Amino acid sequence: RGAMVRMILTVAQQVNRKVKIYALEKNRNAAVTLQSMKVDLGWSNVNVVVGDLRDWETSAKIDLVISDMIGVMSDNELLPEHVDEISRFLKEDAVVIPCSITSFIAPVTSPKLNSEVRSFSDCKSKWERPYLVAAHRAMQLSTAQPCFEFQLPARTEATRTAASALTALESDRTQCMQFGIAEATQLHGFIGYFEARLFNDVVLSTVPESYSHGLLSWFSSYLPLRKTLVLQSESILQMQIWRRYEDGKMWYEWTVLSPQVVPIHNPNGRSFSVAM
């Protein structure tokens, strides 16, 4: 904890810039560490703000926002919604790092992951939630494709005054994706990755085709299917995924449309959702 604040202070010193930092931390245990570092290291220009950022108020105008809330599927830790909450404090030319995040999806076959999910006791909900996995024993069946992309911040000066943040954010999204399947195989689910553009051409990626070597802080996300599907060689797999946001919570729904239609997994967030 405090590594990001320490790095910002180091860079500011290197470029001979005076900065004022607001360290927003919802986790009270982590906030204690930050407050201790502020005292021990003499961070007189650092304000540690403890609590929900939706309740934070300031008269300051922010030049730079840096967040480490990049989820394994880019947006699953609600980074777009959190940046939107503080967008009213940003200067017109403010920079947000990352400046864009994109989730990627790929179909996989993995008897190992399928068996792990099947072993859980909850019969219904276990098939309707994403899992954090190190997918060493899974085979990707087709090239990962981009799914949901968010530019940060989403709001312009005009939309910052709008009554509904969700209109500006377009938090409710859906994507229908097609994958070419070369060989006959079984489909057990889908793997989720992310690509985050930090600034200009600086990119972090867990997507196998563009993987950032040495990136050890993130795994992948596994979206299971309740029913294992048999795929024929030289066939087309079509799936649909939704990102829904309502009443302060976000969830994913997903299904397969072809070669066989399966029931929608996690409808209305009945088994899994993430609270703001």
Side-chain angles (χ1 to χ4, degrees):
R1 299 296 183 180
M4 186 177 295
V5 175
R6 191 194 302 268
M7 184 60 66
I8 294 171
L9 291 171
T10 299
V11 172
Q13 186 177 29
Q14 290 174 348
V15 298
N16 195 27
R17 291 278 186 167
K18 292 183 178 181
V19 297
K20 185 174 184 178
I21 299 174
Y22 295 93
L24 306 179
E25 182 55 72
K26 189 175 183 178
N27 185 323
R28 295 189 177 274
N29 293 326
V32 170
T33 302
L34 281 173
Q35 290 167 332
S36 296
M37 295 178 72
K38 171 182 168 67
V39 174
D40 296 342
L41 300 177
W43 290 349
S44 59
N45 55 344
V46 176
N47 293 320
V48 179
V49 180
V50 185
D52 194 322
L53 63 81
R54 289 173 294 180
D55 301 325
W56 183 53
E57 293 292 337
T58 180
S59 59
K61 283 296 183 179
I62 307 300
D63 296 285
L64 173 66
V65 175
I66 303 177
S67 177
D68 63 355
M69 295 180 65
I70 305 171
V72 292
M73 280 184 62
S74 79
D75 57 57
N76 59 291
E77 291 192 12
L78 305 185
L79 177 57
E81 285 78 10
H82 280 85
V83 171
D84 185 70
E85 287 290 339
I86 62 173
S87 63
R88 64 188 185 276
F89 303 127
L90 301 182
K91 290 183 178 179
E92 279 299 304
D93 58 349
V95 172
V96 175
I97 297 176
C99 59
S100 71
I101 53 174
T102 306
S103 56
F104 283 73
I105 297 290
V108 294
T109 181
S110 177
K112 171 64 174 176
L113 292 178
N114 182 262
S115 176
E116 290 283 345
V117 175
R118 192 174 298 278
S119 69
F120 297 147
S121 59
D122 193 326
C123 295
K124 181 180 292 186
S125 67
K126 65 184 179 183
W127 299 107
E128 297 191 334
R129 59 179 59 244
Y131 292 90
L132 184 66
V133 298
H136 300 308
R137 299 177 66 178
M139 185 175 74
Q140 189 172 305
L141 303 177
S142 188
T143 302
Q145 296 184 19
C147 187
F148 302 129
E149 179 180 3
F150 289 89
Q151 300 294 325
L152 305 174
R155 295 205 212 185
T156 63
E157 184 63 30
T159 58
R160 284 175 195 165
T161 58
S164 173
L166 300 186
T167 300
L169 267 173
E170 298 179 74
S171 284
D172 268 12
R173 298 186 177 196
T174 186
Q175 187 76 275
C176 188
M177 312 174 77
Q178 291 191 16
F179 301 93
I181 305 300
E183 304 290 340
T185 186
Q186 291 183 325
L187 175 70
H188 293 114
F190 299 89
I191 289 287
Y193 308 104
F194 79 83
E195 182 177 281
R197 187 167 300 278
L198 304 185
F199 185 74
N200 289 342
D201 60 349
V202 180
V203 175
L204 292 180
S205 175
T206 61
V207 183
E209 292 80 8
S210 58
Y211 184 74
S212 300
H213 294 287
L215 189 63
L216 304 177
S217 299
W218 287 272
F219 292 97
S220 304
S221 182
Y222 175 58
L223 302 176
L225 290 176
R226 181 180 293 108
K227 179 182 179 181
T228 299
L229 300 183
V230 176
L231 304 179
Q232 303 299 320
S233 60
E234 303 299 325
S235 63
I236 298 296
L237 167 66
Q238 187 177 43
M239 71 89 70
Q240 187 158 3
I241 183 170
W242 293 262
R243 183 189 195 270
R244 301 203 183 278
Y245 184 88
E246 185 177 354
D247 295 331
K249 66 178 184 179
M250 184 278 295
W251 68 93
Y252 299 109
E253 301 175 12
W254 62 96
T255 187
V256 173
L257 303 176
S258 177
Q260 181 179 340
V261 177
V262 302
I264 294 175
H265 291 56
N266 196 37
N268 298 315
R270 68 182 180 185
S271 299
F272 174 84
S273 62
V274 180
M276 177 68 172

